[in-house]
Amino acid sequence: MSEIGTFPHPVVDPYSTPFWEATRARRLSVQQCASCGALRFPPGPACPHCFLPDAVWIDLSGRGTVRNWVIFHHNYFRRHNVQVPYAVALVELDEGIKLFTNLRGVEPDAIAAGLRVQVVFEQFDDRFTLPCFAPCAEP
Amino acid sequence: MPVAKAARDVAVVGVGTTAWGSFPEIDSYALGADALRAALEDAGLGRNDIDGLVVSRIPSYERFAQIVGLDLRFVHYAPAEGRQSGISLQVAVAAIEAGLAQTIALVYGNNGRSRRVSYGGEEDAVWAPWGFTSLGAEHALMFRSHMLRYGTTSDQLAEVALTFRQHAALNPAAVMRKPLDRETYHAARFIVDPLRLYDYCLINDGGVAIIVTSGERARALMKPPAYIRGMAQSASLASSAYPAEDCWYSSLQRCAQIVYEQSGIARSDVDGLMIYDNYSPVVLFALEGMGFAPRGESGVWIQGGRLRLGGEYPTNTNGGHLSESYMQGWALNVEAVRQIRCECGLRQIQGCRAVQYIAATPISTTILYASEPS
Ligand SMILES: [Zn+2]
């Protein structure tokens, strides 16, 4: 598996700053529309459901389910020393938000749809903490 | 459901292609200019006959117009995305129908091989910190969901790459003409599992030009017109932060509802298909969304030579992006025209009267070409 830190670091825009601040505090946080209550991710300036702008940030449970995954055998990041193969999973959090992420504690060939996972926070560098996921026993 | 007006009377009257390959000594302007020269000659038209220009992928339409010296009253520019070929052709047809131009040249130039373009690895993308990158990976993920949901297998998928390679062997211009067998396909390295090398398109240089005009003008020209009888577009951009969960099924269904009614051509009357194939699974998605294969059954449906020359729906008879040339849909539209004109030699579809182009992407498009007017 690849070492954390070998991928490009996150690029922060005005909307994603609170997300990355929250992960440093080991919280998984997303925008919730202040008008209709819909959650949205990636962060943005308006609600795709009701199109109103205001949002609050709420913490998620951090629990979710692996829906899909792929295994990279090619390193596209030419400037980075990425070890292949590595897996990327699509995790659907219990609140419905989906994240592409890396799994810990499970070999790529043991990944399966339906696997229950829990967020684990990993230090990326001095500035960023990255949410990854690990299998959890709880249903 | 807005169904566009029936009885279109617009046709392709000229097509031009360069050789496909690696041409580091020239750039996409030269490739586009060479293709345009070939298309004008093919149509029997001069530059004075062109009053509209659509440019795609070539970095500057302005510089290109300087180079080719056209006097224009309609110009449109489309960026270097495969979805833009179908969209551009639709824009050209609409512009002619609206009277904005009489005869439009669409020109595409791609020197991605010489420039060593990589399709993936953008460092500022949302998911890059977790290593998720490339359109190929998105297609790998969509194919995995098709496998999980419907039991589709890699061995079924192999039929796409094997079919198009067989067709490319009949096309003297194709980049990859060496026979490909099932064993070699499966033995190839993974790029992004579950997709292997031969599920990925080529990257090569080349240029394409297509000339479109009214049916009335078309009937006065040398070559048999390829009438654009129907076209449709449907976007699924609102959910495109993630790979399409339904493999663009609903958006393609909307296109299907429009294009057959508008053209007056039934699905069963289509003689050949040109399906945008940047990655092999997208051919399955297009066949299901457009209603050729039952939903979820495309893996089984394509077996037995259905997509091969002599089969029910010969598809990508030039070899497609997988084996002929990666011209982002443009060369597939040229092949549709050449099939309609019966110019395809060994790979000619017998009695070809209707060919459908289908691109399954976040903006799906389809164009139905026919030898007869509406
Ligand atoms: Zn809202």
Side-chain angles (χ1 to χ4, degrees), chain B residues 12-17 35 38-39 42-43 209-211 333-334 337-338 341 343:
Chain B
V12 173
V13 294
V15 291
T17 46
D42 181 62
I210 298 176
I211 298 172
N333 280 281
V334 167
V337 171
R338 288 176 175 159
R341 292 170 170 180
E343 292 178 340

Side-chain angles (χ1 to χ4, degrees), chain B residues 237-257:
Chain B
L237 296 172
S239 56
S240 69
Y242 301 89
E245 266 186 17
D246 72 345
C247 303
W248 298 302
Y249 183 80
S250 58
S251 128
L252 289 161
Q253 283 276 291
R254 286 203 295 193
C255 290
Q257 281 169 28

Side-chain angles (χ1 to χ4, degrees), chain A residues 88-109:
Chain A
V88 180
L90 183 65
V91 167
E92 183 173 0
L93 293 152
D94 290 352
E95 293 86 353
I97 291 289
K98 286 181 290 184
L99 297 174
F100 282 105
T101 187
N102 303 125
L103 299 181
R104 303 302 172 207
V106 52
E107 289 301 312
D109 59 6

Side-chain angles (χ1 to χ4, degrees), chain A residues 10-69:
Chain A
V11 174
V12 178
D13 64 29
Y15 312 115
S16 64
T17 300
F19 176 82
W20 293 110
E21 284 174 353
T23 59
R24 282 175 64 138
R26 307 179 80 80
R27 290 184 290 108
L28 197 56
S29 194
V30 298
Q31 283 172 302
Q32 181 175 41
C33 175
S35 303
C36 78
L39 302 180
R40 63 181 191 251
F41 192 87
C47 173
H49 293 275
C50 71
F51 197 44
L52 290 169
D54 294 342
V56 295
W57 284 83
I58 64 153
D59 289 347
L60 303 180
S61 64
R63 276 186 290 276
T65 306
V66 172
R67 294 297 180 205
N68 205 338
W69 75 99

Side-chain angles (χ1 to χ4, degrees), chain B residues 51-74:
Chain B
D51 63 351
L53 176 66
V54 176
V55 173
S56 179
R57 188 148 180 151
I58 295 166
S60 162
Y61 60 85
E62 189 163 349
R63 178 69 189 129
F64 185 76
Q66 292 164 9
I67 289 168
V68 298
L70 294 173
D71 183 16
L72 302 166
R73 60 193 188 100
F74 177 82

Side-chain angles (χ1 to χ4, degrees), chain B residues 96-174:
Chain B
I96 288 165
E97 288 177 343
L100 291 169
Q102 289 184 337
T103 303
I104 298 178
L106 300 97
V107 184
Y108 169 88
N110 176 351
N111 61 342
R113 181 171 185 89
S114 296
R115 287 186 50 237
R116 298 180 174 276
V117 171
S118 174
Y119 296 84
E122 296 79 8
E123 299 200 356
D124 56 352
V126 179
W127 309 114
W130 294 272
F132 190 80
T133 185
S134 82
L135 210 50
E138 294 190 25
H139 285 75
L141 196 98
M142 286 189 281
F143 183 59
R144 173 97 63 199
S145 68
H146 208 275
M147 296 167 90
L148 293 170
R149 200 174 302 158
Y150 303 116
T152 313
T153 67
S154 293
D155 198 48
Q156 290 170 346
L157 182 66
E159 179 68 10
V160 174
L162 299 183
T163 296
F164 296 174
R165 181 59 64 88
Q166 190 188 45
H167 291 166
L170 302 172
N171 175 5

